[in-house]
Amino acid sequence: MRRAIAVSLAALALVAAVACGEAEPEGPPVYDAYPPMTIDPLRSYSVIFTTSVGRISFVLYPEEAPLAVNSFLFLANEGYFDGVAFHRVVPGVLAETGDATGTGTGNPGYTFEVEPPQRPYERGGIALANDGRPNSNGSRFFFILGDLAGSAEAPHEYTVFGHLKPNHAPSVTTLEKIEAAQEEVTILSLKATEGCLPSGGPYQCS
């Protein structure tokens, strides 16, 4: 009887061990739909990336690209970009990231309208990546490392939704490090901040 009980206990332990071994690791978050619109286009927004090669700050353009800014801030506040690597870096062209799957083609579970750029593709800009089809914006984005006007890397419209913080030397230095890095660069954390309503002009706070 005791031997039978011992065998049964051993079998249960084996089943538990197998079950634990077969548990699949959690993947990146997946969202059912585009998030609720929570930004105010008249407010100023900025983000600070802490990367494995330094910090870099951007001011965002909520008036020009409200859908892009709203989605980006939602994902940033969810921690979606934390730990995500730059999966493609082309010096003088772009440094692309934002794909939590690591495949270079992933999205957060939803896509949305591509808002036409209202500014040139110039160094220091930040834009959403898409595949050239309508409503194909998602979580992937890139830092612009050069003038992409007429470039083969810019065959269609990308939503430009921000630019490097003006006159911010540390951000310029980090952009240069990302461009020149010989090893994979990772986003360690991303902090979003919201400014006040303008008074005397665009994004001028009293």
Side-chain angles (χ1 to χ4, degrees), residues 35-190:
M37 183 65 71
T38 59
I39 67 164
D40 183 342
L42 294 181
R43 289 188 181 275
S44 61
Y45 298 89
S46 61
V47 289
I48 302 173
F49 292 83
T50 299
T51 77
S52 54
V53 295
R55 300 176 74 183
I56 184 167
S57 300
F58 290 83
V59 293
L60 305 183
Y61 303 142
E63 285 188 289
E64 298 177 15
L67 294 177
V69 171
N70 187 70
S71 174
F72 187 78
L73 291 178
F74 166 76
L75 294 173
N77 289 328
E78 288 282 303
Y80 184 84
F81 300 116
D82 297 355
V84 175
F86 284 82
H87 59 265
R88 183 164 71 119
V89 178
V90 182
V93 181
L94 58 82
E96 185 174 342
T97 183
D99 177 12
T101 71
T103 64
T105 60
N107 62 55
Y110 64 85
T111 57
F112 58 98
E113 178 184 347
V114 176
E115 297 163 294
Q118 299 186 39
R119 297 172 186 253
Y121 302 129
E122 62 182 12
R123 184 177 179 85
I126 182 172
L128 288 181
N130 65 66
D131 60 11
R133 296 179 298 174
N135 304 313
S136 60
N137 273 350
S139 60
R140 289 183 294 119
F141 62 93
F142 57 92
F143 299 162
I144 302 173
L145 302 178
D147 181 7
L148 300 190
S151 167
E153 295 289 340
H156 47 265
E157 293 185 331
Y158 298 101
T159 301
V160 177
F161 66 99
H163 199 278
L164 277 182
K165 182 179 179 180
N167 305 314
H168 193 243
S171 292
V172 173
T173 298
T174 298
L175 189 69
E176 293 171 347
K177 288 181 178 179
I178 292 171
E179 183 175 22
Q182 299 299 307
E183 299 180 355
E184 185 176 78
V185 177
T186 301
I187 299 170
L188 303 179
S189 65
L190 177 54

